Amino acid sequence: MRHRKAGVKLNRTASHRKAMFRNMITSLFEHERIVTTQTKAKALRPLADKMITLAKRGDLHSRRQALAIITKKSITHKLFTDIKDRYINVSGGYTTLAKLGPRRGDGAPLAVISLIDLKEKAKKKKKTRKKAAAAPPTASKKEAAKAEEAPETKEDVSEPKVSEES
Amino acid sequence: MAVPKRKKSKSKSRKRRTHYNQTPPTLVHCSQCDEMKLPHHVCPNCGTYRGRQVIDVTEA
């Protein structure tokens, strides 16, 4: 049984999978955003978080632990100096995913995984708070729709779905 | 072993397949550019998702 076996296999052997994730995590920290399949992107998130946690700890042991995963020394250095400092006040959830739709050729659903931009996140927080405040009077949805302009109502239709997913 | 006695006629096969329908993909209007796009996906027209510029669409 598969009980309590977390993670995905991705039709690969253990060594293949390990090598692939090592390469992916190195690329992610090198370029800050990578395009891959949705499944791989989702599977990469916990590993990325662990790497940043190691970087925040910042001692020699954690640096060696990170080097055991990240394939390039220069990228580990970047992680422990540059990337780490951005997330001092954040605890987890350092990456964000955006779906791109099916890939041409094999139809695999693609996604962009990127290290979060904290400035944009702060902006979004304000936005969601506003939305949460505006959301409760949904009983008078028709009245709200009347009061708002036409494009606003369209946004109303699409936005709640988006928030459900995250 | 039990086997079919007769070949299924074209009519029978086709009648069975009348219920093979394709469903159109669900689409929503992009909140930025109002183009149709897949829900929960980056808009292929303007490259934004939840108010954030995710992909560069100028190359195309």
Side-chain angles (χ1 to χ4, degrees):
Chain A
M1 281 180 283
R2 210 210 102 260
H3 294 178
R4 304 187 70 184
K5 289 179 191 167
V8 286
K9 285 190 170 178
L10 292 167
N11 293 338
R12 281 157 178 82
T13 61
S15 56
H16 183 181
R17 196 164 48 236
K18 190 182 163 196
M20 185 195 72
F21 279 127
R22 285 183 66 188
N23 288 329
M24 280 174 78
I25 206 87
T26 308
S27 296
L28 176 65
F29 287 130
E30 184 174 357
H31 304 287
E32 320 241 325
R33 67 199 289 281
I34 54 174
V35 177
T36 179
T37 64
Q38 278 173 28
T39 320
K40 280 192 228 167
K42 284 185 176 181
L44 193 63
R45 290 177 299 180
L47 191 59
D49 280 11
K50 269 165 208 161
M51 288 298 112
I52 293 180
T53 308
L54 284 178
K56 282 167 131 182
R57 209 183 297 145
D59 53 15
L60 185 61
H61 179 53
S62 52
R63 186 180 285 261
R64 281 174 179 162
Q65 281 177 313
L67 272 167
I69 307 271
I70 296 168
T71 55
K72 289 182 193 163
K73 208 169 183 183
S74 56
I75 304 302
T76 312
H77 181 70
K78 181 189 175 189
L79 172 65
F80 274 66
T81 51
D82 175 25
I83 295 173
K84 175 201 79 175
D85 295 333
R86 293 185 228 164
Y87 302 116
I88 295 249
N89 297 318
V90 193
S91 54
Y94 307 110
T95 56
T96 183
L97 253 167
K99 291 174 188 173
L100 290 179
R103 171 162 62 195
R104 197 182 161 153
D106 65 355
L110 291 185
V112 187
I113 180 167
S114 52
L115 298 174
I116 54 163
D117 188 337
L118 290 169
K119 283 176 204 163
E120 282 190 14
K121 206 194 170 194
K123 239 195 284 171
K124 206 163 275 174
K125 251 187 186 169
K126 273 180 211 161
K127 227 182 180 181
T128 46
R129 243 179 246 151
K130 258 186 211 166
K131 229 171 256 168
T138 40
S140 57
K141 207 176 182 181
K142 273 185 187 170
E143 286 166 35
K146 269 181 204 166
E148 282 168 16
E149 287 171 1
E152 284 288 312
T153 52
K154 266 169 197 164
E155 203 178 62
D156 277 0
V157 177
S158 60
E159 287 288 328
K161 281 184 191 168
V162 172
S163 55
E164 268 169 40
E165 174 239 9
S166 60
Chain B
M1 203 170 74
V3 288
K5 190 171 187 176
R6 288 257 174 258
K7 175 184 174 175
K8 278 254 164 110
S9 70
K10 283 182 204 170
S11 167
K12 273 287 172 195
S13 302
R14 285 168 187 175
K15 273 178 184 165
R16 173 164 41 81
R17 289 175 193 153
T18 56
H19 297 287
Y20 289 10
N21 300 326
Q22 282 202 323
T23 52
T26 311
L27 294 175
V28 296
H29 287 280
C30 172
S31 55
Q32 300 290 324
C33 64
D34 220 33
E35 278 289 305
M36 297 306 280
K37 68 174 194 78
L38 287 169
H40 312 297
H41 281 68
V42 174
C43 174
N45 185 50
C46 62
T48 58
Y49 181 59
R50 304 186 77 185
R52 187 162 60 92
Q53 192 72 35
V54 179
I55 51 168
D56 186 15
V57 284
T58 49
E59 65 201 65

